Amino acid sequence: MNKKIWIALILLGLLAPFVVYPVFMMKLLCFALFASAFNLLLGYTGLLSFGHAAFFGGASYITGHLVKNSGLTPELGVLGGTLFAGLLGYLVGSLAIRRQGIYFAMVTLALAQIVYFVALKAPFTGGEDGLQGIPRGDLFGFIDLNQVYSVGGNPVALNLYYFVFVLFCLGFWIIHRTIHSPFGQVLKAIRENEPRAVSLGYKVERFKLMAFVLSAALSGMAGSMKSLVFQLASLTDVSWHTSGEVVLMTLLGGVGTVLGPLVGAFTVVTLQSELSSVGSWITVIIGVTFVICVLLFRRGVVGELGRLLKKSL
Amino acid sequence: MSDYILETKKLSKEFKGFTAVSAVNLKIQRGHIHALIGPNGAGKTTVFNLLTKFLIPTAGTIHFNGTDITGEKPADIALRGVIRSFQISAVFPNLTPRENVRLALQRKLGVSYHFWKSDSILKQLDGRAMELLEDVGLAEYAEEITGELAYGRKRALEIATTLALDPELMLLDEPTQGMGVEDVDKITALVKKVSANRTILMVEHNLKVVATLADRITVLQRGAILAEGPYAEVSQDPQVLEAYMGSAHD
């Protein structure tokens, strides 16, 4: 895609904390990465997982535990969470890819519910309260992530923001590279016509499993980031609502497009925060938005835009 | 090496008590175009799926170049050089024809698991991909969206993709099915052209195509072999005529 778009997006990201409420912006980045990682699986491999919250939430618990109770630095906490999610992805993926379509989704959902149960009952997760007061700590041991700077009279944790932004860019770059790699080509082939990919000699199970692990690990990275931003790992992160939300974001923005998940995450997170005053009605509003989206532009916002411009975005 | 590239012994397949294929002994001679024909429901496609490992036989063995491949998986036999086509055209619809062919060429580069590399390293395959598209007359459509191509062109693309793997044995499942007369002639000529230096086994409905192409024919009926031999011989076989026409005299 156009280099100019990328440079503009990076500049926007760098300047954002001076304009937008930074915690909101960081939440957005976490969910945008989560949705992009999910899209790698749904949009480019054709696998609908309904248990991605297990990776997102699981990693946020692990990161929280590592930095709070083991006293690790935040970057090691994120690394630990990401690796854990990758490992969990390997286990879940190995079981789930034996089935296809709706059965695949069901297996991922069932296994994610087990993770939810563990998060509820295990001794180190804090049960219903979750892990609270996770320290942000010092990046590499000397950059204080709690350090606030005065931006237009408001205190802003710029160190933390840029740490999160760099992680987001890294994760997004890995996804982008994966999509546009020889491996990504085979994934697309599997999405398009699995029996044909088999008959060309590709062992599709291995490709699917690798895509699953990558997607899980990057979802975990997003969850780890989230636990540092909000200093909290909670049951919401591992619940099936979160799994559903990421499906929603991806479809809304445009499945199988690079920018779609970003737009989708932006839309859903903005709606949630702008409409938080209306209470539980928010579910209805987001639901209606989703229905309208599916009826009017089935390819999602970016998907339709791409079709109009005859470009793959 | 034996003269037969593919050999089956007592190949059988049952579906819940119904015997779709029973004790088929098939021998495919190296270098031949071998056609598998028979009326509807004779078990042609089942035999085909058994050979390509998409179905598992209930009994019997399959040997390829003298090696027992009965227990192998579809991707394994593809690595041995047995490549199949599908009855409904098997292409990757949202990719371009060039990318379709390149996917077949890509495997040999050994970078298919390298998700950290840019796909620009695949550009080295573009030349060969274009040659193959040229061979099947699709060069000018190389950058279109495959899903939007005409049916006959999709089938031609499928053949180009299969050829990209340089298969020793090509298995074609009804290559001319659902085509107009012009396309049938084109595909027939194409199959003839690509048959040089390789063996082809095809399931085919169109007897005219079979008559033009096949060196040897096996006729299936109710899951068993009814007759085998060159077209001229088989087409005069009273049993075959009866199976096809319902009568030995017409």
Side-chain angles (χ1 to χ4, degrees), chain A residues 264-278:
Chain A
F266 183 83
T267 314
V268 173
V269 172
T270 309
L271 279 178
Q272 278 172 345
S273 90
E274 291 298 313
L275 301 174
S276 55
S277 54
V278 298

Side-chain angles (χ1 to χ4, degrees), chain A residues 219-250:
Chain A
S219 300
M221 192 161 122
S224 296
M225 282 152 57
K226 196 235 117 196
S227 75
L228 288 177
V229 171
F230 290 94
Q231 303 186 281
L232 171 74
S234 70
L235 286 176
T236 317
D237 302 338
V238 276
S239 79
W240 60 270
H241 292 103
T242 304
S243 295
E245 220 160 67
V246 76
V247 178
L248 180 84
M249 288 174 185
T250 309

Side-chain angles (χ1 to χ4, degrees), chain B residues 2-57:
Chain B
S2 114
D3 238 15
Y4 297 110
I5 187 164
L6 192 77
E7 217 175 331
T8 71
K9 290 199 181 101
K10 303 216 165 148
L11 194 63
S12 304
K13 177 70 187 176
E14 285 179 23
F15 295 104
K16 290 179 183 162
F18 166 73
T19 310
V21 172
S22 81
V24 167
N25 296 318
L26 199 62
K27 284 179 176 179
I28 316 292
Q29 198 167 338
R30 192 179 302 282
H32 269 185
I33 298 181
H34 195 118
L36 201 56
I37 65 169
N40 280 328
K44 301 182 298 285
T45 296
T46 308
V47 168
F48 198 81
N49 283 330
L50 288 171
L51 295 178
T52 49
K53 318 309 300 167
F54 275 65
L55 284 175
I56 299 161

Side-chain angles (χ1 to χ4, degrees), chain A residues 5-260:
Chain A
I5 299 180
W6 290 122
I7 294 168
L9 283 177
I10 289 174
L11 280 178
L12 268 179
L14 287 172
L15 295 175
F18 298 97
V19 187
V20 192
Y21 179 52
V23 174
F24 168 77
M25 195 58 207
M26 287 188 277
K27 182 182 181 187
L28 195 67
L29 290 177
C30 294
F31 278 97
L33 179 60
F34 185 26
S36 298
F38 178 79
N39 185 41
L40 179 63
L41 207 55
L42 179 61
Y44 291 94
T45 322
L47 296 173
L48 171 62
S49 158
F50 211 79
H52 255 50
F55 311 121
F56 182 79
S60 84
Y61 273 108
I62 296 295
T63 303
H65 183 70
L66 288 176
V67 299
K68 189 181 179 190
N69 302 334
S70 310
L72 290 187
T73 48
E75 76 283 358
L76 291 178
V78 170
L79 186 67
T82 309
L83 290 178
F84 168 78
L87 194 69
L88 188 63
Y90 180 79
L91 293 175
V92 173
S94 310
L95 290 168
I97 54 162
R98 294 157 194 242
R99 293 288 173 269
Q100 298 190 326
I102 187 77
Y103 303 102
F104 175 87
M106 284 299 152
V107 173
T108 53
L109 174 61
L111 294 172
Q113 287 305 101
I114 295 176
V115 174
Y116 178 84
F117 184 74
V118 172
L120 182 63
K121 295 289 181 189
F124 72 93
T125 55
E128 306 244 354
D129 298 332
L131 280 179
Q132 299 187 2
I134 297 168
R136 287 168 179 169
D138 296 335
L139 184 63
F140 305 118
F142 65 92
I143 303 171
D144 183 5
L145 290 183
N146 274 319
Q147 176 82 49
V148 289
Y149 299 86
S150 177
V151 174
N154 300 315
V156 174
L158 280 183
N159 289 356
L160 178 70
Y161 176 80
Y162 287 118
F163 176 53
V164 167
F165 184 64
V166 165
L167 283 178
F168 168 79
C169 289
L170 177 71
F172 192 75
W173 179 79
I174 293 175
I175 292 166
H176 186 258
R177 174 38 56 90
T178 304
I179 292 167
H180 299 284
S181 71
F183 176 72
Q185 278 290 319
V186 179
L187 290 187
K188 281 174 221 162
I190 293 170
R191 173 193 70 188
E192 302 271 300
N193 193 334
E194 189 175 332
R196 181 57 171 168
V198 171
S199 82
L200 293 182
Y202 290 111
K203 300 193 193 281
V204 296
E205 297 84 11
R206 286 194 203 167
F207 285 91
K208 284 183 181 176
L209 184 57
M210 246 175 94
F212 198 94
V213 171
L214 273 172
S215 169
L218 291 164
S219 300
M221 192 161 122
S224 296
M225 282 152 57
K226 196 235 117 196
S227 75
L228 288 177
V229 171
F230 290 94
Q231 303 186 281
L232 171 74
S234 70
L235 286 176
T236 317
D237 302 338
V238 276
S239 79
W240 60 270
H241 292 103
T242 304
S243 295
E245 220 160 67
V246 76
V247 178
L248 180 84
M249 288 174 185
T250 309
L251 292 181
L252 202 64
V255 69
T257 61
V258 176
L259 292 178

